[in-house]
Amino acid sequence: MVDILSTQVALLLFESIFCFLSAILCAMKSSRDKQAKIVVTDLSIMAGFLLLSDFLFYICQGRTSGVATVVMQIANITLFLLCDLFLIGILTDFSIVLFGGFSLKKDQPCRWRSILIVLLSTGGMAMVVISQFTGLYYTIDETNTYHRGKFFPLSVAFPILGMLLLLSILLQHRNKTTKYRFLVLLSFIVLPVAGFLVQYFFYGFAYMDIGIALAVNIIFIENIIYQNQQIRIAERTDIRTGLANEHSCIEWIRARKAKKEILDYAAIYFDISRFSSINRKYGANTGNRVLAIFAGSFSKELAPDEFLGHQRGDQFIAIVHKKNIDTILKKLSDLRVEFTDDTGKDCDVHLSVKAGIYEIENAEVSSEDVINYAAAALDHASHSASDHPVVYMTKDLMDTIEEKIRFEKKIRKALEKGEFLPYYQPKVNSRTGELCGAEALARWQHKGELIRPGEFIQVMERNESICDLDMYMLHRVCEDISKWMKDGLTIPPVSINFSRRNLADPDLAEKIDRAVTESGIPKNLIEIELTETVDEFPLSVMKAFVDELHKRGFCSSIDDFGSANSSMAVLREISFDTVKIDKGFIDHDQNKDLTILDHIIKMALSIGLRIVAEGVEQEAQVKKLQSFGAEVIQGYYYDRPMPEEKMRERLKDPHYDK
Ligand code: C2E
Ligand code: CA
Ligand code: CA
């Protein structure tokens, strides 16, 4: 037969160990909610000691050794003290869950009740200490048997009163937490109090301790579940807008697929037009607020079984019923957002979007591809020549995109395999006929074919592999120059094109410097050609780069000057050494163009810039340019771009007789 004492002792020990283990686990677990972590750990430790004390108490009860007497005394006082101390622990936990933190300062909700609970807790503990000397609560006789004192009910009164106050706080603020968490908190009051009362009337079993331990176990388990839930929510939510993120979008689509409803839907991937100007005008914080307000008001336009998620930056995805596409696009075409800026001023902006739409027609399509196809349609809307803001993903477009992806992969591979090589186009001084420079132009040697930049530069600019190509070209040109030097040839400066995409790299000048220095050729033989950038980077970025190049001993030129983007401000503000006049300018021989050309050349010369005229094919053009003061010519009139071997021959005979 198992007697009741052994059962009780075993249960207490088991629960005590469980509580200590919970405390260790809780302390080790990384958690964003540090306060909750500390409280749950502390409560578990307290419960562990409480149960351990009770366990020792029952073991030693009735034994008459000196050790047993000491253990029994310590266990008993610990037990009584912890019962009161628990009040503060639970109060702290409640405050964290309900009010986000615990303090007794003025702004703490339920401040007076909290103060009273703390007083009851400390008062209760003081009384326990007093009872040690007076035997108010209990006495332990010489046979180590425990006897309740006359004032024992008072020891019960302190924690019970405290618990009632806690209960009133919890009930008053129950809507500050979920129903589920509310029940967990309630168990922290109900279980120990119920145990307490049972134990009070039916002495002989540690019901109260078991109640406390159970409550601690529940809180511990709930805390783990809650934290995992928080992590999952965080994984699915975008911090800036509070909207679902891509991960959550994928899961949403999966759920619709599982319900076989996906064919009713279309994905609209959209991008707020000119959002960067809002960021620039009001600052990034306000920009984020505008995004959140926009998302909040737009999501109200959607049906409950439709989805809105944030992708990145100012891009969103909506998964909507196909029949609602038109209405939703109409709403998106003009959305007014009201907000307050950083100074507290009321402002409003009208937002419009560019959108890519993918109507789901194949139930087998993966969730990721639903997003990808809509995003690719948006990409097309943003980059195609037509300024129509909405593009639907069609079969043809899908084929084009897939072809483009294949092509991009091919280019990347070609770059790895070193299939690109420099061709050189000479620059000639038209007055003397002397070779005075060259431009390196990339060629792609692929399966016996020589592919010109027109077919790959744009693609490479889009996927940023252009930066690798430019660096690769720099290395190849340095190698060629170094070979020519070894052959004792006189070499004029060679210019290399650097795409504006490179400007995103703040260490670009340093990288160029390193490459040239390592090759051992003089820096003045390398010139960097850049095109103007008004679209992506502020002028200051280009200015900083050109200044850095100068400092390191390199020259630079501005390419395609006179084409669409050019502005005189660039010439004034950035210390380029050379201006390359765009071919388009030279081709036109209308009077107006010629007057402007004359003007540009004079202006450039007056501020000490060198001039290279590009794309010159006819003698008449050469003469005209000479009359304006532009002598250096790069064009078919003298030479076409040529491979390294031919350039070497040209260097041996650097004079043109034209
Ligand atoms: P760009 O820098 O303006 O180069 C001049 C282009 O005009 C070259 O075309 C050249 O062959 C061509 N050209 C020169 N003289 C004449 C002429 O008299 N008539 C005609 N019709 N064309 C002439 P290419 O080699 O096809 O290069 C096209 C563009 O590709 C270049 O324009 C440049 O922007 C880009 N590019 C070429 N190589 C590289 C490179 O390594 N890196 C980067 N980022 N871009 C490059
Ligand atoms: Ca160029
Ligand atoms: Ca050019």
Side-chain angles (χ1 to χ4, degrees):
M1 264 297 278
V2 181
D3 66 282
I4 190 156
L5 186 69
S6 324
T7 318
Q8 168 154 269
V9 165
L11 199 65
L12 285 170
L13 184 63
F14 171 77
E15 272 292 354
S16 152
I17 293 173
F18 187 94
C19 287
F20 283 127
L21 284 178
S22 310
I24 293 171
L25 275 178
C26 189
M28 284 187 340
K29 204 166 175 317
S30 67
S31 159
R32 270 181 295 178
D33 197 345
K34 292 264 168 345
Q35 276 186 310
K37 174 174 156 169
I38 292 170
V39 173
V40 177
T41 310
D42 290 349
L43 284 177
S44 302
I45 293 174
M46 277 196 254
F49 275 116
L50 188 81
L51 290 154
L52 187 66
S53 309
D54 225 4
F55 163 76
L56 294 172
F57 171 85
Y58 279 107
I59 292 240
C60 297
Q61 168 136 272
R63 291 174 203 256
T64 46
S65 75
V67 179
T69 311
V70 175
V71 172
M72 180 113 175
Q73 290 285 357
I74 295 175
N76 223 31
I77 187 172
T78 314
L79 244 161
F80 273 78
L81 285 175
L82 282 174
C83 282
D84 291 309
L85 189 61
F86 248 113
L87 281 177
I88 296 181
I90 303 171
L91 171 68
T92 318
D93 191 44
F94 280 22
S95 307
I96 289 172
V97 175
L98 299 174
F99 315 125
F102 171 67
S103 84
L104 292 175
K105 290 195 189 129
K106 269 199 185 127
D107 52 351
Q108 174 79 11
C110 308
R111 181 181 174 226
W112 285 112
R113 270 174 285 175
S114 304
I115 291 180
L116 213 58
I117 292 168
V118 173
L119 287 178
L120 278 170
S121 168
T122 42
M125 287 192 282
M127 285 301 289
V128 173
V129 176
I130 291 169
S131 102
Q132 295 303 300
F133 308 103
T134 55
L136 282 177
Y137 287 173
Y138 61 83
T139 47
I140 295 169
D141 66 18
E142 55 287 351
T143 61
N144 265 350
T145 311
Y146 170 89
H147 301 281
R148 278 182 181 172
K150 242 197 259 159
F151 287 91
F152 178 76
L154 194 62
S155 74
V156 181
F158 281 95
I160 293 271
L161 264 177
M163 286 293 200
L164 287 175
L165 284 170
L166 282 166
L167 184 65
S168 77
I169 293 178
L170 181 61
L171 290 177
Q172 187 189 345
H173 295 281
R174 66 181 175 282
N175 54 3
K176 290 217 168 76
T177 184
T178 59
K179 209 189 254 171
Y180 172 62
R181 283 208 113 185
F182 168 75
L183 285 175
V184 171
L185 295 184
L186 193 64
S187 75
F188 225 122
I189 297 174
V190 174
L191 288 176
V193 172
F196 212 87
L197 293 176
V198 175
Q199 189 172 335
Y200 188 74
F201 295 109
F202 306 101
Y203 178 68
F205 200 86
Y207 294 107
M208 185 201 70
D209 290 358
I210 303 288
I212 291 182
L214 274 181
V216 169
N217 296 163
I218 291 176
I219 291 233
F220 170 73
I221 292 165
E222 189 272 344
N223 196 263
I224 288 187
I225 296 172
Y226 178 75
Q227 283 189 2
N228 286 343
Q229 251 174 4
Q230 292 299 100
I231 291 169
R232 265 198 313 246
I233 291 172
E235 274 170 4
R236 289 188 173 83
T237 319
D238 170 66
I239 320 165
R240 284 192 297 174
T241 56
L243 280 180
N245 61 14
E246 180 160 330
H247 182 74
S248 160
C249 180
I250 288 174
E251 291 198 341
W252 193 91
I253 299 171
R254 272 191 201 139
R256 295 288 135 174
K257 278 174 65 173
K259 286 187 177 169
K260 307 231 179 305
E261 290 172 354
I262 196 68
L263 295 181
D264 292 342
Y265 286 91
I268 307 181
Y269 200 112
F270 60 91
D271 177 317
I272 300 178
S273 306
R274 292 179 295 280
F275 195 77
S276 51
S277 63
I278 294 179
N279 273 337
R280 234 175 289 133
K281 186 165 171 195
Y282 298 101
N285 280 342
T286 308
N288 286 343
R289 223 166 37 242
V290 172
L291 282 182
I293 298 171
F294 159 78
S297 64
F298 177 64
S299 58
K300 292 201 189 97
E301 309 285 349
L302 300 182
D305 57 349
E306 293 177 326
F307 174 92
L308 177 67
H310 185 222
Q311 289 296 114
R312 57 192 71 85
D314 54 359
Q315 295 189 344
F316 296 82
I317 189 162
I319 319 269
V320 304
H321 287 290
K322 285 179 185 166
K323 60 178 172 20
N324 293 344
I325 295 178
D326 288 340
T327 340
I328 287 166
L329 285 179
K330 203 153 164 259
K331 298 241 164 69
L332 279 176
S333 66
D334 186 20
L335 258 167
R336 185 158 163 264
V337 175
E338 290 177 4
F339 60 96
T340 47
D341 68 7
D342 283 344
T343 63
K345 206 175 93 204
D346 289 333
C347 310
D348 66 12
V349 284
H350 284 263
L351 300 179
S352 63
V353 305
K354 282 199 166 187
I357 300 178
Y358 172 60
E359 293 185 276
I360 303 166
E361 262 144 23
N362 167 12
E364 299 305 312
V365 66
S366 72
S367 306
E368 287 83 356
D369 275 350
V370 169
I371 302 175
N372 288 343
Y373 289 145
L378 167 66
D379 200 44
H380 202 72
S382 310
H383 291 99
S384 66
S386 103
D387 51 16
H388 198 61
V390 178
V391 169
Y392 279 79
M393 175 57 78
T394 57
K395 175 85 184 71
D396 281 353
L397 183 54
M398 216 178 275
D399 289 347
T400 320
I401 288 166
E402 273 164 12
E403 173 57 37
K404 212 159 78 189
I405 292 171
R406 270 198 296 277
F407 189 63
E408 279 184 17
K409 277 195 192 143
K410 218 159 86 178
I411 292 182
R412 279 190 195 278
K413 217 178 232 145
L415 208 50
E416 280 165 24
K417 289 205 282 194
E419 288 182 359
F420 290 90
L421 72 161
Y423 263 45
Y424 296 91
Q425 184 173 36
K427 296 174 190 168
V428 181
N429 183 318
S430 60
R431 289 228 181 261
T432 61
E434 288 302 320
L435 174 76
C436 61
E439 175 177 4
L441 293 155
R443 297 290 181 265
W444 177 11
Q445 205 158 31
H446 186 61
K447 294 188 178 154
E449 217 187 313
L450 200 64
I451 305 173
R452 297 208 19 185
E455 291 191 38
F456 55 84
I457 294 290
Q458 248 193 337
V459 181
M460 294 181 93
E461 291 217 320
R462 293 272 306 277
N463 69 19
E464 318 238 311
S465 57
I466 190 75
C467 305
D468 298 330
L469 173 73
D470 292 343
M471 240 19 219
Y472 173 82
M473 286 285 290
L474 175 67
H475 282 284
R476 288 290 302 256
V477 170
C478 290
E479 278 169 27
D480 286 350
I481 293 181
S482 138
K483 272 191 280 180
W484 298 333
M485 279 170 61
K486 280 196 192 109
D487 292 351
L489 297 167
T490 310
I491 302 147
V494 178
S495 61
I496 295 161
N497 293 283
F498 268 79
S499 158
R500 62 188 94 186
R501 295 257 168 219
N502 287 286
L503 293 178
D505 179 359
D507 303 325
L508 180 62
E510 193 196 324
K511 285 179 187 160
I512 292 175
D513 194 350
R514 207 176 319 134
V516 177
T517 311
E518 276 168 14
S519 76
I521 65 165
K523 290 183 185 179
N524 62 6
L525 292 189
I526 295 292
E527 182 174 306
I528 305 297
E529 283 192 21
L530 283 168
T531 42
E532 193 182 334
T533 110
V534 277
D535 44 357
E536 286 158 81
F537 301 100
L539 222 54
S540 55
V541 175
M542 189 184 249
K543 181 172 162 43
F545 172 62
V546 170
D547 287 346
E548 187 63 31
L549 281 179
H550 260 173
K551 252 194 259 159
R552 292 171 183 271
F554 295 98
C555 286
S556 60
S557 55
I558 176 142
D559 205 356
D560 301 339
F561 196 79
S563 66
N565 289 335
S566 311
S567 87
M568 288 299 196
V570 177
L571 292 191
R572 263 198 324 267
E573 286 178 31
I574 305 183
S575 45
F576 286 110
D577 305 276
T578 305
V579 186
K580 294 191 82 176
I581 309 278
D582 189 51
K583 177 176 188 307
F585 238 111
I586 287 148
D587 282 346
H588 294 149
D589 48 9
Q590 281 117 353
N591 274 342
K592 195 169 137 232
D593 280 337
L594 288 178
T595 317
I596 298 173
L597 183 60
D598 186 18
H599 226 75
I600 293 175
I601 293 173
K602 290 219 165 68
M603 211 274 294
L605 288 173
S606 76
I607 52 175
L609 285 159
R610 288 193 291 270
I611 289 166
V612 176
E614 272 192 298
V616 180
E617 295 178 354
Q618 293 144 15
E619 192 171 357
Q621 290 172 328
V622 179
K623 292 272 170 311
K624 180 90 6 218
L625 284 160
Q626 277 179 351
S627 74
F628 292 153
E631 293 175 351
V632 180
I633 305 286
Q634 176 188 340
Y636 293 174
Y637 177 72
Y638 288 108
D639 251 329
R640 292 188 172 240
M642 56 186 83
E644 185 269 326
E645 314 80 64
K646 262 184 103 180
M647 187 63 198
R648 176 194 297 263
E649 296 311 309
R650 186 35 87 191
L651 289 170
K652 286 181 188 157
D653 176 19
H655 191 82
Y656 290 83
D657 288 326
K658 284 191 185 174

